[in-house]
Amino acid sequence: MIWNNNKECMSREQMRALQGKRLHKLVEYVYHNTPFYRNKLQEMNITPDDIQTIDDITKLPFTTKQDLRDNYPFGLQAAPQSEIIRIHASSGTTGNPTIVGYTRKDIGVWSECMARCLTSFGITREDIVSVAYGYGLFTGGLGVHYGVENLGAAVVPASTGGTEKHVRLLRDLGITGVACTPSYALHLAETMEKMGITKEQIKLKVAAMGAEPWTESMRKEIEERLGLKAYNIYGLSEIMGPCVSYECSEQNGSHINEDHFYPEIIDPETLQPLSYGQQGELVFTTLTKVGMPLLRYRTRDLTTLQPGDSCSCGRTSVKMGKICGRSDDMLIIRGINVFPSQVESVILSIPECAPRFLLIVERIDNMDKLTVQVEMRAEYFAQGFDTFEPVFKLEKQVSEKLKSVLSISAKVEIKQPGTLERSEGKSKFVIDKRVLK
Ligand code: ADP
Ligand code: ZN
């Protein structure tokens, strides 16, 4: 089933014409409303009139998370504050989060795109959908929530945690759809089994899985253990939140809502555009966003783009492949973005800690677990800090501070000076033991 035939099944010529028109309007809008972009465009000698077709997009500057950080909190907001009706935040690379303000129109577009995703997964007004993404500053919970309501199905705002209660709700309410991270879906299956509840006792038929990378064998396992079909949904706060792209019945690549989010793939080193099938960094331009529109935002997610107009579902929009890595050192832990630099900033702010630390990420019972090992400074160690009580206090202090910055809990282990080995992993501060099979 298709939610918006007009937009999801447009001919390629019509789509490109619409994108060109919207891009011109967007550039005009940011030129007049975002000093950051006006300055950039003026430096590059570009005026809105230089942008007439979608192919002109390559003339425009890129935007990075660093730009958002440098202009924290509202520097890239184009709409006046009186027009903003919601504010979300996602992890920044260090202390400050990335702030995204939405106007009423933005929330409408988001809910429209979410309804397209959910319809593509086979959800209708008859369904009851539980949302087990975190509600709060993250876009997952409220984003999917509004989409379910817009579609007209019933939403159960289960949020994360309280897994046993969630399982009972699945059974007692006859919930037919669930939205959560793929690892949480496996955790649900495990909890169900522990509680002695079989998949025949629940009515789940669809799972909307996103916020973290997953594999075909995880899909198979989720589908078998919960007795449903599991579909990918992708998004990021800077662009909107979940709803940027979604799988269809083919379960092979995710169609992009490209009338709203224009995709490009670039080489992360040379920044040159790549063609269909070539793996590179995904870049999005928000064609219709009013609150905080972004030009050519570098997601750091690595994947490929493919034409989608021969897809058997009838949609014509471009498809993106699975996210197969990042061009930076961001980790996704329990669906939440974590940068090693955030941990570093916490450790540097605590005088007893030496600037030597190691992040260890594991997946135990399908739940991610983060351990942070930190060395104590030699001078404190020498002052009697080698006894149990002060070390315990320090661990607690680091752990509380980490929780407030990262929004997830971590186990902290204080180590004696000079004992931490550097790992050879993805980042020299990280050992990621998770293997996604
Ligand atoms: P979300 O709430 O969707 O996680 P964030 O802005 O916090 O939004 O994080 C966005 C990042 O999460 C993306 O850039 C990507 O790295 C990751 N992500 C989101 N959805 C998926 C998905 N379906 N598959 C793989 N990675 C995903
Ligand atoms: Zn399709």
Side-chain angles (χ1 to χ4, degrees):
M1 266 190 317
I2 292 174
W3 176 257
N4 187 337
N5 230 74
N6 264 345
K7 290 295 187 313
E8 292 175 86
C9 307
M10 250 184 184
S11 77
R12 293 311 298 162
E13 299 73 49
Q14 277 178 321
M15 177 61 85
R16 294 196 64 83
L18 178 70
Q19 289 169 329
K21 218 170 80 191
R22 288 184 169 175
L23 183 66
H24 172 74
K25 256 180 82 180
L26 169 71
V27 175
E28 200 153 55
Y29 176 62
V30 298
Y31 194 85
H32 291 110
N33 294 283
T34 319
F36 168 82
Y37 280 127
R38 182 169 50 246
N39 293 340
K40 269 206 167 187
L41 293 170
Q42 281 174 346
E43 270 167 32
M44 295 167 83
N45 246 331
I46 297 168
T47 70
D49 283 341
D50 295 324
I51 309 299
Q52 295 298 339
T53 74
I54 192 65
D55 293 321
D56 293 326
I57 198 162
T58 54
K59 297 177 188 163
L60 295 171
F62 290 104
T63 311
T64 62
K65 211 170 181 94
Q66 186 64 35
D67 292 326
L68 293 173
R69 200 164 109 67
D70 294 345
N71 294 281
Y72 175 83
F74 295 123
L76 267 75
Q77 192 169 296
Q81 203 57 44
S82 57
E83 295 295 312
I84 300 294
I85 63 163
R86 192 182 315 159
I87 296 171
H88 279 287
S90 131
S91 326
T93 46
T94 56
N96 287 341
T98 300
I99 303 297
V100 191
Y102 301 77
T103 64
R104 193 173 300 280
K105 183 173 167 240
D106 295 334
I107 298 290
V109 168
W110 191 358
S111 310
E112 151 76 19
C113 290
M114 266 309 312
R116 294 182 192 175
C117 306
L118 296 166
T119 304
S120 175
F121 304 160
I123 290 171
T124 70
R125 295 171 59 95
E126 308 302 322
D127 286 297
I128 305 178
V129 180
S130 65
V131 178
Y133 287 119
Y135 278 66
L137 285 174
F138 300 102
T139 50
L142 281 173
V144 177
H145 184 104
Y146 270 59
V148 178
E149 286 192 351
N150 185 37
L151 183 141
V155 63
V156 180
S159 197
T160 47
T163 312
E164 289 195 5
K165 188 166 157 197
H166 192 177
V167 170
R168 280 193 291 273
L169 286 173
L170 290 178
R171 183 193 59 194
D172 300 347
L173 310 188
I175 289 172
T176 45
V178 60
C180 59
T181 60
S183 50
Y184 193 74
L186 286 170
H187 183 67
L188 262 182
E190 222 138 74
T191 308
M192 258 173 58
E193 283 154 25
K194 275 192 198 139
M195 292 168 72
I197 295 180
T198 64
K199 63 181 176 189
E200 286 73 29
Q201 288 173 277
I202 59 164
K203 292 203 178 126
L204 279 181
K205 58 174 197 185
V206 172
M209 314 266 79
E212 67 184 13
W214 56 312
T215 61
E216 278 313 310
S217 75
M218 282 173 80
R219 186 198 313 263
K220 226 174 131 217
E221 194 181 337
I222 293 167
E223 292 189 335
E224 271 167 18
R225 288 174 75 179
L226 291 172
L228 46 69
K229 283 272 177 205
Y231 297 94
N232 187 52
I233 177 164
Y234 165 89
L236 63 163
S237 322
E238 291 85 346
I239 297 304
M240 189 63 99
C243 83
V244 172
S245 74
Y246 54 101
E247 278 184 336
C248 59
S249 48
E250 279 203 356
Q251 293 184 311
N252 175 24
S254 300
H255 289 282
I256 295 169
N257 277 309
E258 41 159 344
D259 51 329
H260 297 291
F261 317 114
Y262 183 77
E264 295 174 86
I265 290 280
I266 60 162
D267 179 322
E269 302 294 324
T270 65
L271 306 186
Q272 289 309 304
L274 300 174
S275 29
Y276 284 139
Q278 286 183 296
Q279 186 181 308
E281 183 181 323
L282 190 56
V283 170
F284 281 108
T285 298
T286 61
L287 293 176
T288 54
K289 218 148 171 237
V290 186
M292 193 185 78
L294 296 179
L295 301 180
R296 305 188 84 195
Y297 182 70
R298 293 186 57 185
T299 65
R300 301 288 180 173
D301 288 325
L302 300 176
T303 185
T304 53
L305 291 178
Q306 300 286 352
D309 50 350
S310 55
C311 193
S312 62
C313 73
R315 291 178 185 80
T316 51
S317 43
V318 167
K319 280 173 150 183
M320 57 183 262
K322 282 210 155 60
I323 303 298
C324 43
R326 301 264 314 165
S327 67
D328 63 5
D329 58 0
M330 186 181 93
L331 297 158
I332 303 181
I333 302 175
R334 271 171 258 150
I336 291 170
N337 305 344
V338 173
F339 290 92
S341 53
Q342 290 176 290
V343 175
E344 186 174 34
S345 71
V346 167
I347 287 163
L348 291 178
S349 72
I350 299 175
E352 290 90 344
C353 295
R356 267 177 93 98
F357 66 96
L358 188 61
L359 305 186
I360 302 166
V361 198
E362 297 159 281
R363 191 163 277 184
I364 298 167
D365 292 341
N366 293 303
M367 291 289 269
D368 293 335
K369 190 172 158 241
L370 171 64
T371 305
V372 179
Q373 299 183 337
V374 198
E375 272 184 24
M376 186 187 282
R377 276 192 195 274
E379 58 264 39
Y380 288 101
F381 187 70
Q383 284 168 18
F385 252 91
D386 54 338
T387 49
F388 180 73
E389 185 64 29
V391 168
F392 181 69
K393 252 174 124 173
L394 183 57
E395 283 177 347
K396 195 159 166 258
Q397 186 193 354
V398 178
S399 142
E400 277 167 7
K401 212 154 179 189
L402 280 174
K403 169 111 206 223
S404 78
V405 170
L406 305 178
S407 311
I408 54 167
S409 3
K411 178 162 182 266
V412 175
E413 293 173 359
I414 301 290
K415 298 284 180 189
Q416 292 189 9
T419 50
L420 272 193
E421 274 185 42
R422 289 295 169 93
S423 82
E424 302 286 326
K426 177 172 168 181
S427 140
K428 55 183 190 292
F429 310 113
V430 178
I431 298 177
D432 195 340
K433 294 184 178 166
R434 294 172 297 182
V435 193
L436 300 189
K437 287 174 290 188

